[in-house]
Amino acid sequence: MSHHISLTRYLVERQREDGLIPGNLRLLLEVVARACKSISHAVNKGALGGVLGTADTENVQGEVQKKLDIIANEVLIEANEWGGHLAGMASEEMDTILSVPNRYPAGEYLLLFDPLDGSSNIDVNVSIGTIFSVLKKPEGGAEVGEQDFLQPGRQQVAAGYCIYGPQTTLVLTVGKGVAMFTLDREQGSFVLVQEHVQIPPDTQEFAINMSNMRHWDAPVKRYIDECLAGKEGPRGKNFNMRWIASMVADVHRILTRGGVFMYPWDKREPHKPGKLRLMYEANPMGWLVEQAGGAATNGRERILDIAPTELHQRVSVILGSKNEVERVTGYHLNA
Ligand code: AHG
Ligand code: MN
Ligand code: MN
């Protein structure tokens, strides 16, 4: 890296050169980055900060919340509610949307987040993250409502995640490629480390929770069986496997060196379309992956084209290296 470009400078230059980032969107992204910095500090303190373990409460999806799920959610709300850039927020950890309190001015953006992704990895010191998605509030209607959030992912105006791993890195798209910024703890700022991130179209690495194999649908089973058959099988090459159980960490690896990630529908809970959440996980990650030259589908259609009907909607996810995603999707369509 020849010269240091801070996140602020990067955003100002995108605003000036590409006209992609209006002032209020820049403010929003800076506030989200600041909140992530604060979550990163809490994560780093671990047991010393009393942030590990469960909170003994349940979220709307019936999952037991960890202390950090709640802390991260509060940090994001407190950072974002007063700036005047938002009309409302929605979170994996809140039952309903939160409109900006009346005592603050309301803005035109909507912020959606998975405050802490990879909750099962918090206490074991494995990479976790925060995922966010930004939409514009549709015109008209003074009060913001849940309906305003139900927009397909292709309408996002910004999306990203912050991974809390060996480094804390913020990964962002505003619709013109993907850029990565690593937190410089001495400076206290995010510094650009990579621009124009590209996912190679081919890969020999897949990520899926193999313990669910017996519950999968035939197309997913076929794809993985063919990978496992290796050089002697129909694919004629060996595959490697990784499963971190933090979507942020698996997606970060894919943005860095390629790969395919799948959390498909399975027979354990057949009435649910999948485990992951469309609005807080699949849409922002799907857009990042597409912006890096990859693809993201639910096995049948592009994730970003799905018209949401519910805030906490779940979805089957296949994303990553383009040729592999197209292959798995093809197996579904021709099944
Ligand atoms: P969250 O911690 O926000 O609930 O998300 C966890 C998700 C995702 O990050 C990961 O890919 C997946 O759940 C792991 O699920 P399994 O434990 O079923 O493998
Ligand atoms: Mn998650
Ligand atoms: Mn979460």
Side-chain angles (χ1 to χ4, degrees):
M1 230 185 331
S2 51
H3 49 285
H4 285 218
I5 296 176
S6 65
L7 174 67
T8 301
R9 176 165 169 191
Y10 175 87
L11 294 174
V12 167
E13 287 177 353
R14 294 288 71 71
Q15 183 176 6
R16 199 180 289 151
E17 288 160 27
D18 309 324
L20 278 171
I21 311 183
N24 267 335
L25 181 56
R26 177 158 72 84
L27 174 65
L28 190 166
L29 294 171
E30 297 227 42
V31 172
V32 168
R34 193 161 356 107
C36 289
K37 206 184 337 177
S38 154
I39 297 169
S40 171
H41 287 298
V43 167
N44 281 182
K45 285 204 178 98
L48 303 179
V51 300
L52 304 185
T54 164
D56 290 324
T57 48
E58 272 190 10
N59 66 14
V60 64
Q61 351 243 343
E63 299 160 339
V64 175
Q65 292 175 304
K66 295 282 165 60
K67 283 185 195 161
L68 262 178
D69 288 321
I70 295 171
I71 294 168
N73 195 58
E74 279 168 7
V75 168
L76 281 156
I77 292 169
E78 277 165 24
N80 278 287
E81 66 182 357
W82 51 270
H85 50 284
L86 283 185
M89 290 178 253
S91 161
E92 185 184 286
E93 302 301 341
M94 299 192 292
D95 297 8
T96 53
I97 63 146
L98 188 80
S99 50
V100 162
N102 283 336
R103 59 187 183 278
Y104 303 121
E108 56 185 337
Y109 293 103
L110 305 173
L111 176 64
L112 299 91
F113 46 84
D114 174 356
L116 211 291
D117 176 67
S119 301
S120 73
N121 282 323
I122 298 171
D123 293 354
V124 292
N125 205 352
V126 170
S127 296
I128 50 182
T130 296
I131 311 173
F132 61 93
S133 160
V134 184
L135 294 165
K136 261 193 117 168
K137 180 178 175 286
E139 305 280 325
E143 194 57 17
V144 65
E146 184 168 318
Q147 198 57 36
D148 296 325
F149 288 77
L150 303 182
Q151 305 180 36
R154 61 169 184 271
Q155 282 171 223
Q156 293 171 104
V157 293
Y161 63 83
C162 187
I163 180 167
Y164 315 115
Q167 300 104 45
T168 286
T169 299
L170 186 97
V171 179
L172 178 71
T173 186
V174 288
K176 211 181 176 213
V178 175
M180 296 187 176
F181 306 83
T182 292
L183 179 61
D184 180 332
R185 288 188 187 274
E186 281 87 67
Q187 302 292 328
S189 60
F190 283 99
V191 178
L192 183 67
V193 291
Q194 206 191 335
E195 245 184 311
H196 315 302
V197 173
Q198 281 293 318
I199 300 173
D202 293 300
T203 181
Q204 287 174 240
E205 197 163 63
F206 65 84
I208 192 165
N209 186 335
M210 292 285 288
S211 70
N212 298 324
M213 189 173 218
R214 69 190 185 285
H215 306 297
W216 295 339
D217 223 354
V220 175
K221 187 146 190 334
R222 173 183 170 193
Y223 175 77
I224 297 296
D225 280 345
E226 290 179 0
C227 291
L228 294 176
K231 210 166 176 355
E232 295 72 37
R235 300 299 307 276
K237 55 184 186 178
N238 294 326
F239 280 78
N240 186 22
M241 191 199 90
R242 286 287 184 276
W243 183 251
I244 302 173
S246 292
M247 189 191 200
V248 271
D250 280 312
V251 169
H252 195 69
R253 185 188 59 257
I254 289 172
L255 286 172
T256 306
R257 68 173 189 213
V260 58
F261 168 96
M262 280 180 270
Y263 211 120
W265 170 90
D266 68 46
K267 295 188 193 92
R268 284 174 300 168
E269 292 182 287
H271 56 284
K272 283 189 189 159
K275 175 180 180 182
L276 298 177
R277 280 120 313 199
L278 176 63
M279 307 304 283
Y280 318 111
E281 294 170 320
N283 275 341
M285 293 310 209
W287 196 32
L288 283 167
V289 165
E290 282 196 4
Q291 282 290 313
T297 77
N298 66 355
R300 302 186 183 278
E301 66 175 318
R302 183 181 176 225
I303 294 279
L304 300 188
D305 284 338
I306 298 173
T309 52
E310 285 172 59
L311 201 56
H312 297 291
Q313 186 166 337
R314 303 203 185 223
V315 66
S316 178
V317 176
I318 300 160
L319 60 76
S321 290
K322 200 172 180 145
N323 292 338
E324 294 302 305
V325 174
E326 281 173 2
R327 176 182 286 267
V328 194
T329 307
Y331 289 0
H332 282 83
L333 294 174
N334 301 322

